[in-house]
Each structure stands twice: as structure tokens, then as C-alpha cells.
């Protein structure tokens, strides 16, 4: 077994690693897609509210459970419950979720890597709008190509996780996160100078409440969960590596703040770009960043080819970085379990978990082509995994964790963990406790009942 300690060496390393997990394709790809599909600014307002009422409190909850567990997420629940054996089963949550979430996330991450490669080879130059559409469909429904690129993403993730908590996860977050911010700012700057950028801004910032329906509210809450990586034990796993002097409440606000900022900035890159060409629509769905945007880059910068080249390159580099910092946290969830419980070395655990994810990922990748007709409960593999994680495990996991900390754990243990044994004032402690005891479980129950009701109706 490796001799490096399983602890983030610095406070900033801890924040950046957690922010790296949160900031991902959920921000740069899923957020603009959802905003576009759900009518813009009104959706964003509800999303920010969901972050504050559900996202941040559940993040604090995960941090508290994880750090109390100290280096071993699998026994963290049992330890915090004061030794109640039934809670040890919750230790399986991150392990199982890690496999599920990485297996489908890596498919889209693989697409981003392929698009980065295309951008690097100047493969977008001179393509017509139809060619962009046809090429994306041909690529994503191909049998081997997407699997190949997914394999590379998984291999990169595996190499970083195998290096360990400090040398792999923390160091990569410290290198990649500042680059990510830099690229975002450059792209926002360019995007805002495009013709008609104002139309994109008003789509993003002037709310039209007539568009708000029950399903818009549900989508906003679902997006908040996914984007913050909460409810599946991912942040619990990272918090096991936090030092005892980290202020868990303050850090939760920092991470949620960074995550929301990146999502909004991604909107500032994407919507002005979409509106810069008449006839393109902001609700193009998941293909927005793979069809609409490369097309936009060619058309608006077409007169200055090197600018189109650089803009595309930076954009896909940004997507790959965002995807990687998140996939690292996903792999770590399962690797931590195998490392601790089966006493495998980190590299061996990382390789085994990666291979299983690759195998499951193949099923998800083929959902876009050869196996698009193979269905489970009416969904193809990719959509089924996404449904299972984002619409089922995340809300239920989040609710169980709130009930656990709000009702099962001795209040003194919780208070000691959040105030670092009384050394911090934590003025929001009582509000937080009220939310996790009453508000969050109730809200989640409502979302969940509604989602399940809809799915059930669909199924009938
Ligand atoms: N939050 C990540 C994103 O926005 C996705 C994620 C989900 C990461 C669950 C880890 C765990 O892309």
C-alpha cells in the first residue's frame, strides 16, 4: 500500500478539489442546455434558489459525514451514528454510484476529447452547417470511435487517481482549475464582442415567469444536484481527506459559489455566440456544444481563420478540463472503497475500477448507435444510467443524508464537527440544522414523488 497520507495538504487544495468535482460538463454542457430548453432567466433564478435551499445544506452534510469519518468513507456513516451497525450499508453508496456515474459521464467526456482533437487538427475549417450535424451524428453513433475516446479519458482519470490524494487529485486540481478559469474568461471576453451579443444576454438575464411550470422547477432542482455533485457520496469521499481546520460551512459556500459562477460564465460564452447568427436557436438541446457552437465559431470568425481555430481549441480544452476534474472525483468514490476494504493498492484498485467502468461505458456509448433500440424501462442504457443517478440516487441519497444528520446523529457530534470543536462561530448553524431536519427532506420528497409519478405515467 502507498505510504502517502490520504489527506489534502492545504485548505486551498481541498476547496479546489471539491470545486473541480462540482465544475464539470454539468456547468459547461448541461447547464446551458437546460437554460435553453427551460426559457432562460426564470430557470436560472429557481436554480440559484435550489442551490441555496438544497444544494449547499446537502454539501455541508456530506462534508460533515466525510470529515468525521476521517480517511475512510465506507465506515463514515457508522462512525458518525455512534456505532449503529445498520448505517454501515450507506458506506456502499459512493462505491456503487461511482461506477454508475462515471460509466455514462465518460461517454460525453470522450466526445469532448474527440472534438478537442478535431479542433487541434483544424478539422472544423470550411464545414457547412449540415456537415456539422451529419458529422456529429455519424461520430456519436459509430461503434468504435466514441469507445476509443472514452477509453482515453478513463485512462487519464485512472492515472491521476492512481497517483494518490495529494500527488494525483490535489495537484491536478491545483493545476487544472486555474487554467479552466483563465480559458473561461478569455472566451467570455471574445463572446461578448460578437454581433448581437445583447440578445444572448437578455435571454440569460431577463426572466419570463410565464415559462415557469412544475417541470421547469424540477429540472432546476435536478440541475442543482447534478452540478454540485451532491447526494451520491462524492463530496463525502473527498471530505474524508479534509484537514480538521477546514471550515466546512464556509467551504461549501465557496464551492457552490465557484460552481454557479462557472455555470453563468458558460452561459455568457454560449448564448451570445448562438444569437450572433440569425436563425440559430438557444434550445438546440444536448447538441448545442457539439453542433451549434463549432458551426458558430466557423461562421462568425470565418473571415479570420486563425481566430476560429484558437476559439474552438480553447473551448474544447475547457470542456475536457472540466470533464476530467469531475471524472477524477467519480473514479475516486469506488477506488477509495476497494483501496480501504479489499486492501488493494491504489494503482491496482484504480485499474480494476476503470476497466469495469469502461465495460459499462461501452453499453452507454452504444446507446447512440448500434444499441439505440435496446431499452431498460423504456430508456436506452445512457438515459437509464442518467435517470438512475440524477433523478433517483441523488435526491434519495441527499434526503437520507439529511435525515441521518438531522435526526439520527447526536446533535453534539454534529455541532462539534461543524464548529471544529467549538473554535468557529458558525452563525448559520441553526438555520442549517432547521433546513436539514425539515425543509430539505420535504422538498426532496415532493420532487421525488412528482418525478416518480411522471415516470410512472410515461411507463403506463
Ligand atoms: N458536478 C459534476 C458536473 O457538473 C458532475 C458530477 C456528478 C461529478 C456527480 C461528481 C459526482 O459535471
Amino acid at each position: 500500500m502507498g505510504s502517502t497520507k490520504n489527506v489534502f495538504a492545504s485548505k486551498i487544495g481541498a476547496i479546489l478539489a471539491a470545486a473541480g468535482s462540482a465544475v464539470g460538463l454539468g456547468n459547461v454542457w448541461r447547464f446551458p442546455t437546460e437554460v435553453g430548453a427551460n426559457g432562460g432567466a426564470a430557470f436560472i433564478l429557481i436554480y440559484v434558489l435550489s442551490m441555496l435551499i438544497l444544494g449547499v445544506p446537502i454539501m455541508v452534510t456530506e462534508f460533515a459525514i466525510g470529515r468525521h469519518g476521517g480517511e475512510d468513507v465506507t465506515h463514515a456513516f457508522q462512525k458518525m451514528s455512534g456505532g449503529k451497525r445498520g448505517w454501515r450499508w450507506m458506506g456502499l453508496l459512493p462505491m456503487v454510484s461511482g461506477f454508475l456515474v462515471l460509466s455514462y459521464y465518460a461517454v460525453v467526456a470522450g466526445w469532448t476529447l474527440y472534438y478537442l482533437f478535431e479542433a487541434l487538427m483544424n478539422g472544423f475549417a470550411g464545414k457547412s452547417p449540415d456537415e456539422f450535424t451529419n458529422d456529429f451524428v455519424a461520430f456519436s453513433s459509430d461503434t468504435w470511435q466514441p469507445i476509443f475516446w472514452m477509453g482515453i479519458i478513463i485512462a487519464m482519470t485512472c492515472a491521476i487517481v492512481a497517483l494518490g490524494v495529494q500527488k494525483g487529485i490535489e495537484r491536478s486540481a491545483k493545476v487544472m482549475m486555474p487554467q479552466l478559469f483563465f480559458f473561461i474568461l478569455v472566451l467570455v471576453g471574445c463572446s461578448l464582442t460578437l454581433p448581437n451579443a445583447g440578445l444572448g444576454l437578455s435571454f440569460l438575464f431577463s426572466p419570463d415567469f410565464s415559462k415557469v411550470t412544475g417541470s421547469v422547477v424540477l429540472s432546476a432542482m435536478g440541475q442543482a444536484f447534478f452540478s454540485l455533485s451532491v447526494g451520491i457520496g462524492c463530496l463525502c469521499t473527498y471530505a474524508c481527506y479534509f484537514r480538521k481546520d477546514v471550515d466546512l460551512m464556509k467551504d461549501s459556500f465557496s464551492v457552490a459559489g465557484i460552481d454557479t459562477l462557472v455555470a453563468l460564465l458558460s452561459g455568457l460564452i454560449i448564448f451570445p455566440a448562438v444569437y450572433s447568427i440569425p436563425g440559430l436557436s438557444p434550445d438546440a438541446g444536448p447538441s448545442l456544444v457539439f453542433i451549434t457552437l463549432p458551426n458558430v465559431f466557423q461562421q462568425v470568425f470565418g473571415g479570420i481563420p486563425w481566430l476560429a481555430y484558437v476559439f474552438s481549441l480553447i473551448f474544447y480544452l475547457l470542456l475536457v478540463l472540466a470533464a476530467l476534474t469531475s471524472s477524477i472525483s467519480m473514479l475516486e468514490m469506488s477506488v477509495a472503497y476497494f483501496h480501504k476494504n479489499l486492501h488493494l493498492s491504489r494503482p491496482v484498485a484504480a485499474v480494476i475500477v476503470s476497466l469495469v467502468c469502461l465495460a459499462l461505458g461501452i453499453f452507454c456509448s452504444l446507446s447512440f448507435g448500434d444499441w439505440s433500440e435496446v431499452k431498460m424501462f423504456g430508456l436506452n442504457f445512457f438515459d437509464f444510467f442518467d435517470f438512475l443517478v440524477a433523478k433517483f440516487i441523488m435526491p434519495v441519497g441527499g434526503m437520507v443524508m439529511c435525515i441521518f444528520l438531522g435526526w439520527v446523529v447526536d446533535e453534539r457530534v454534529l455541532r462539534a464537527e461543524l464548529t471544529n470543536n467549538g473554535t468557529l462561530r458558525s452563525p448559520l448553524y441553526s438555520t442549517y440544522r432547521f433546513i436539514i431536519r425539515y425543509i430539505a427532506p420535504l422538498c426532496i420528497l415532493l420532487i421525488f414523488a412528482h418525478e416518480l409519478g411522471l415516470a410512472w405515467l410515461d411507463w403506463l
Side-chain angles (χ1 to χ4, degrees), residues 120-268:
L120 193 71
M121 304 312 272
N122 205 12
F124 302 137
K127 274 192 186 169
S128 70
D130 281 348
E131 279 173 317
F132 278 112
T133 311
N134 296 340
D135 288 357
F136 175 70
V137 174
F139 166 73
S140 58
S141 60
D142 187 69
T143 307
W144 293 110
Q145 279 219 56
I147 294 177
F148 170 77
W149 292 100
M150 173 176 70
I152 297 190
I153 282 281
I154 294 184
M156 288 160 82
T157 309
C158 174
I160 294 174
V161 170
L163 281 174
V165 173
Q166 286 182 11
K167 290 200 182 129
I169 301 174
E170 183 173 3
R171 194 192 284 165
S172 65
K174 279 183 167 167
V175 173
M176 291 199 264
M177 291 305 281
Q179 291 181 10
L180 190 140
F181 284 120
F182 177 72
F183 293 148
I184 288 193
L185 292 179
V186 173
L187 291 173
V188 170
C190 293
S191 214
L192 289 181
T193 57
L194 293 175
N196 294 329
L199 289 179
L201 291 185
S202 73
F203 178 76
L204 256 187
F205 293 122
S206 35
D208 173 1
F209 287 104
S210 67
K211 298 250 169 66
V212 178
T213 60
S215 80
V216 170
V217 177
L218 296 179
S219 306
M221 291 188 186
Q223 174 62 20
F225 269 87
F226 188 81
S227 187
L228 286 182
S229 325
V230 291
I232 60 175
C234 180
L235 297 177
C236 239
T237 308
Y238 269 12
C240 290
Y241 314 139
F242 282 5
R243 290 187 339 202
K244 291 291 175 202
D245 58 351
V246 166
D247 182 340
L248 299 180
M249 290 221 182
K250 212 167 103 199
D251 275 18
S252 302
F253 278 105
S254 309
V255 172
I258 294 175
D259 189 67
T260 310
L261 188 71
V262 172
L264 290 176
L265 290 175
S266 305
L268 284 183

Side-chain angles (χ1 to χ4, degrees), residues 20-27 101 105 223 225-230 232 234 259 322 326-327 329-330 333 389 394:
S21 167
V23 171
L25 295 174
N27 305 61
V101 70
Y105 197 82
Q223 174 62 20
F225 269 87
F226 188 81
S227 187
L228 286 182
S229 325
V230 291
I232 60 175
C234 180
D259 189 67
S326 293
S327 62
S329 69
M330 295 172 181
M333 291 195 268
V389 171
M394 284 183 160

Side-chain angles (χ1 to χ4, degrees), residues 25 29 98-114 139 145-155 157 226 323-324 326-328 330-331 354 357-362 364-365 368 382 385:
L25 295 174
W29 176 61
F99 281 114
L100 292 176
V101 70
L102 182 58
S103 303
Y104 78 91
Y105 197 82
V107 175
V108 184
W111 296 353
T112 64
L113 194 60
Y114 168 72
F139 166 73
Q145 279 219 56
I147 294 177
F148 170 77
W149 292 100
M150 173 176 70
I152 297 190
I153 282 281
I154 294 184
T157 309
F226 188 81
L324 260 183
S326 293
S327 62
I328 290 168
M330 295 172 181
L331 188 65
S354 299
C357 285
L358 183 65
L360 289 172
I362 291 177
C364 296
S365 180
F368 293 90
F382 184 95
F385 276 43

